[in-house]
Amino acid sequence: MDVNQNFDQISHYLREYQLESIFPQQLLPHLLLFRFDPGELICFQGEQADALYVLVKGKVKIYTTTAEDKTLILSFKSPLEVIGEVEYVRGMENLNTVEAVSVVWMIGVQHRWLKKYGHAHAPFLQFLLEIITKKFTLKSNSLSFNLMHPVDVRLASYLLSVSFDESDSQLRGQLGTDQLIDAAHLIGTSYRHLNRVIQQMCIDGLIERSKGYIVVKDRAGLAAMARGNIYE
């Protein structure tokens, strides 16, 4: 993780996403720019939250872990997205774990500054309301996805979500085979069954195993298999 206070770059992102009026002027000097590399954790489930993040570049993965140490993927998010708004409003611990999939850039601000300068700023509160209601609308679909669709659909969706990001050319449609156990946990299946599904996808020409990676060969075919059900 890298943190800086590059005001020119922060201002660029605020303009790009029309967020200039969202944050009050008093809060602007307290905005920070965070950079996370792929695989880095941004928030960890159960830890006390102390900052709110606005995702402005890259892709993140959001998942939850049960008491039995099983993980369930909830969604993948691309800009513009907010991480930690519920935790800020309720003053609670992180509900989920958030992990960078690609190189991620986020504008972050500590809760103490938000409470001091943003708690009565109507544009900021309206922005949070819109974000929270949008997530509420999408939540039922995300939580039920693993229960309502077979493994091949879930894997197709997972590969499309984790292997491609239009803002990061390093995500070129491949997944390391060393990540397959985690992938099995995240989409709610066994490692053995996941390998059977991968083998069939290879036979069908959708993907192939190559030098330690699962490589997407037919993105359109995977999209058709996913039936429009993308974790994002």
Side-chain angles (χ1 to χ4, degrees), residues 6-215:
N6 187 324
F7 291 111
D8 289 338
Q9 196 169 359
I10 291 173
S11 296
H12 165 74
Y13 286 126
L14 293 179
R15 289 193 301 272
E16 181 178 356
Y17 294 105
Q18 300 178 343
L19 298 175
E20 295 167 293
S21 64
I22 297 300
F23 299 107
Q25 287 295 319
Q26 304 97 311
L27 193 58
L28 296 182
H30 302 288
L31 299 182
L32 299 171
L33 191 62
F34 292 78
R35 180 189 186 276
F36 296 90
D37 290 325
E40 280 196 276
L41 295 184
I42 299 160
C43 302
F44 189 77
Q45 180 180 342
E47 286 188 349
Q48 186 61 44
D50 62 358
L52 180 141
Y53 300 95
V54 180
L55 175 63
V56 293
K57 187 174 182 180
K59 180 178 288 189
V60 300
K61 175 172 61 179
I62 302 174
Y63 57 93
T64 187
T65 305
T66 69
E68 295 76 25
D69 204 30
K70 293 184 178 180
T71 53
L72 174 65
I73 190 166
L74 301 177
S75 62
F76 289 81
K77 296 294 183 182
S78 300
L80 181 70
E81 189 56 73
V82 176
I83 304 298
E85 74 290 342
V86 173
E87 290 84 346
Y88 165 67
V89 172
R90 300 195 61 187
M92 61 189 299
E93 299 173 342
N94 291 319
L95 289 170
N96 305 303
T97 297
V98 181
E99 178 184 326
V101 173
S102 65
V103 174
V104 165
W105 291 90
M106 289 183 158
I107 295 174
V109 58
Q110 292 184 332
H111 287 179
R112 61 188 178 115
W113 299 119
L114 283 175
K115 291 174 182 177
K116 185 173 182 178
Y117 297 119
H119 74 285
H121 188 61
F124 174 67
L125 297 178
Q126 179 65 33
F127 176 65
L128 287 187
L129 179 62
E130 291 175 0
I131 290 292
I132 291 172
T133 53
K134 177 184 176 182
K135 288 185 177 181
F136 179 79
T137 302
L138 297 173
K139 185 176 181 180
S140 61
N141 290 336
S142 298
L143 291 176
S144 62
F145 185 80
N146 280 13
L147 298 176
M148 296 177 62
H149 296 87
V151 173
D152 58 349
V153 174
R154 283 180 261 157
L155 178 58
S157 177
Y158 180 81
L159 288 172
L160 291 170
S161 296
V162 77
S163 302
F164 295 97
D165 181 12
E166 302 306 326
S167 69
D168 190 344
S169 60
Q170 294 184 8
L171 287 182
R172 301 171 182 172
Q174 60 185 30
L175 176 71
T177 53
D178 59 344
Q179 301 177 52
L180 289 182
I181 293 178
D182 287 340
H185 290 161
L186 289 169
I187 66 175
T189 190
S190 68
Y191 178 68
R192 178 178 295 181
H193 186 48
L194 181 69
N195 272 297
R196 287 197 292 266
V197 174
I198 288 173
Q199 183 178 11
Q200 185 59 51
M201 284 186 172
C202 289
I203 293 173
D204 294 338
L206 297 172
I207 60 176
E208 70 175 11
R209 287 181 181 264
S210 177
K211 299 179 180 179
Y213 289 94
I214 302 297
V215 181

